[in-house]
Amino acid sequence: MKEKVILAYSGGLDTTAIIPWLKENFDYEVICCCIDCGQGEELDGLEERAKLSGASKLYIENIIDEFCDEYIVPCVQAGAVYENKYLLGTSMARPVIAKRLVEIARKEGASAICHGATGKGNDQIRFELGIKALAPDLKIIAPWRMTDIWTMQSREDEIEYCKQHGIDLPFDAKHSYSRDRNLWHISHEGLELEDPANEPNYDDLLVLGVTPEKAPDEAEYVTMTFEAGVPKSINGKAMKVSEIITELNRLGGKHGIGIVDIVENRVVGMKSRGVYETPGGTILMEAHDQLEELVLDRATMEVKKDMGNKMAQIVYEGKWFTPLREAVQAFVESTQKYVTGEVKFKLYKGNIIKAGTTSPYSLYSESLASFTTGELYDHHDASGFITLFGLPLKVRAMMLAANEKDK
């Protein structure tokens, strides 16, 4: 009986060409596994294509709700943003994909998992760290790093290879953007984006929305509610998290929200330039931040910001299945107990504008914040506080002055 390999299958040219390549070079039985994280129409026609290419079976695994509830929500709660801009759309999806690939491998009794990530990107790290953490006994095959037997270097090469193996597929050699899509975002790389000096061609590039210039001339109000840091409703309608993100994607895309052009530092050491569309995620992160402003104390917010940066680094580097991620997430979850309330904002030409936030756990006191200050605050108390708070500065200044005088 042949050994089985689980192929992380997208249906694109790369992973389609990998199917006959695996059979030819390893004599594996190839079982394709497409993980549905919200790619939409990209999944159409995959079963026929996989079978035509030589796969014995295709799994299409819908993990959208698991992705949203167990991976996206913890990152939103943490405020995890990589290098101040990237909302981790691809990064968050990789561990849940790796987890499901391992589950299918166990179910099928497979001895290996294969992925189509290149040797220059972050995804090879994310997939493989996830697999190693969950199934250290499984072999990992990464064709793009096996240059002695993976000799294809272009789309033309892959198309020709498929034709030689009797696979006639609806792909052409035209070079286009390299994209990754799920419910949270879509990323774009390649073409004019390869030179940071070039402005993105947004008319050809955008998929989920429009530029702010093309957004409606009228603002649109949106109201959201949260319970313990988890989004629960939009405009009074209760929804599960995946439905909320879907609706926010529609609203954000319409109003030109969440378009980011970034040059980021990859884990493998190089800089890469890409454009990310994250319309719903940008709104969700901002709404959550607005609510936290009301309910978290200063010291907790200060430490939580550090933990959010640490969480972003952990996720970006593919270290989801680690004690560190569990510990950081546990801290974050402890801060979310009172992140409950309603956030209102308006969307207008790429902007998310505050329109009022309320919470039963708000630490904002109107009597304290106003000029009258009320009974809890005596203006005279500030004098002693400033004397002690500024004492190190005063002592240092006196020391410097004394030394200058001695000279």
Side-chain angles (χ1 to χ4, degrees), residues 1-59:
M1 182 180 292
K2 291 184 178 181
E3 287 189 70
K4 296 178 180 179
V5 60
I6 304 302
L7 171 62
Y9 184 65
S10 68
L13 181 56
D14 288 346
T15 53
T16 298
I18 286 173
I19 296 173
W21 180 85
L22 284 169
K23 297 176 70 174
E24 183 178 89
N25 289 280
F26 296 92
D27 196 30
Y28 277 128
E29 176 187 345
V30 181
I31 298 170
C32 291
C33 189
C34 177
I35 311 298
D36 181 7
C37 297
Q39 295 95 302
E41 67 274 4
E42 292 182 12
L43 303 179
D44 296 344
L46 286 195
E47 185 162 6
E48 181 181 0
R49 188 178 304 162
K51 296 287 182 65
L52 179 66
S53 305
S56 65
K57 190 183 296 185
L58 170 68
Y59 285 87

Side-chain angles (χ1 to χ4, degrees), residues 284-300:
L284 182 53
M285 296 281 274
E286 176 63 22
H288 181 266
D289 287 350
Q290 289 182 21
L291 187 55
E292 280 195 333
E293 286 180 0
L294 277 187
V295 302
L296 294 187
D297 63 275
R298 179 186 176 189
T300 300

